[in-house]
Amino acid sequence: MTPFSAPWPHVSVVSVTDILLVAVIIYGFLALIKGTRASLMLVGVAGLGLAFYLFRLGNLVALNWLISTLLPYTVFALIVVFSAEIRQALARLGRGLTLSRASGSAADTYDDIVLAADLFSQNQTGALIVIEREIGLRTYIESGVPLDAHISYDLLATIFRPSAPLHDGAVIVQEDRIAAAACFLPLSMNPVLSTQMGTRHRAGIGVTEETDAIAVIVSEETGSIGLAVGGKIERDLSVAQLRDRLGELLRRYVPPSTLPTPIMNDSEPGHAEEGPRTALPRPAESRLNSGTGH
């Protein structure tokens, strides 16, 4: 009897489902740690496991006793080592089970963030604006100066003015309000990130690794606009690209007519007409003198 003519083992629907679920879990775990420091830690853990196995084969009595004593505590050690990745996985699972979404009316207030980012980009003013979504940012809000003020272009321009006391740190936005300024955020420890990224960029990426927040980052050195979400960053965005990406992430439609449009030099910067929100009548050029004092 050839191997091909041997009877196949009984395979049931439950067995196939079981195998597929295990494969999905392993794939999700590997996708979760890909490109993070956890991947390097996992290689180290695998190396230690292989070494322990070889030690047992070598009949090393004292070392085998030590391994047997410490082995029950390895589960707790792994939980501590991979705590950040475990939190991120649970947060993703919770987002998948949550039906709530950001409302369109609240998302419309983020037009001022785009205008402020354009101003900061032209002035090469460093800025970090974090937009809260479904996962609360209370821990980080309490680390800063509470404001609880309605979000506006003028307030953002004032907060991030280089001479302002709240310039350093991040601004956290909840719905249509600025919850706090000068907030401290966790720095990303991702080894894949470019070494050219400073503390501001790593803080913006770090908070998106821990939560589902969106971080708008403006570089102080180059004036480039970046957008961090899900632990990844998109750099060198234009104003139009930033608005489009915010529209996608906040699940709202951004018509092309809402982009800032330049006005003539004879317009008074302090008397810009306050039109509808969809018109965005306050471009960065006209607000530069009145917003920053330069």
Side-chain angles (χ1 to χ4, degrees), residues 115 119 123 153-154 157 263 268-274 281-293:
L115 288 175
L119 171 66
N123 283 353
Y153 168 91
D154 302 282
I263 60 177
E268 291 294 333
H271 300 281
E273 182 182 356
E274 192 70 43
R282 297 181 299 176
E285 293 87 353
S286 65
R287 307 295 298 181
L288 184 57
N289 295 330
S290 61
T292 62

Side-chain angles (χ1 to χ4, degrees), residues 20-105:
L20 291 177
L21 288 177
V22 172
V24 169
I25 292 175
I26 295 177
Y27 174 79
F29 176 75
L30 294 178
L32 181 64
I33 66 174
K34 179 182 178 182
T36 65
R37 57 174 179 170
S39 59
L40 301 178
M41 294 181 182
L42 185 62
V43 174
V45 171
L48 288 177
L50 180 60
F52 291 161
Y53 176 74
L54 295 178
F55 293 155
R56 293 184 68 87
L57 293 180
N59 295 325
L60 303 177
V61 180
L63 191 57
N64 287 335
W65 172 85
L66 180 62
I67 294 174
S68 301
T69 304
L70 298 179
L71 190 60
Y73 303 99
T74 56
V75 176
F76 301 100
L78 291 177
I79 292 176
V80 174
V81 171
F82 295 101
S83 59
E85 286 71 22
I86 293 175
R87 289 198 304 268
Q88 186 177 10
L90 294 177
R92 290 183 179 178
L93 179 61
R95 290 199 300 269
L97 299 177
T98 303
L99 299 178
S100 61
R101 292 293 183 266
S103 61
S105 59

Side-chain angles (χ1 to χ4, degrees), residues 218-287:
V218 181
S219 173
E220 186 175 0
E221 289 76 16
T222 63
S224 63
I225 301 175
L227 182 70
V229 60
K232 299 180 180 179
I233 185 171
E234 304 172 27
R235 306 180 67 182
D236 299 324
L237 296 178
S238 65
V239 179
Q241 291 173 333
L242 176 62
R243 299 203 70 250
D244 290 340
R245 289 293 291 128
L246 285 178
E248 295 172 2
L249 296 171
L250 299 171
R251 294 177 176 85
R252 69 185 182 106
Y253 171 68
V254 181
S257 61
T258 60
L259 292 175
T261 54
I263 60 177
M264 303 302 294
N265 294 330
D266 56 354
S267 300
E268 291 294 333
H271 300 281
E273 182 182 356
E274 192 70 43
R277 294 295 301 175
T278 56
L280 292 182
R282 297 181 299 176
E285 293 87 353
S286 65
R287 307 295 298 181

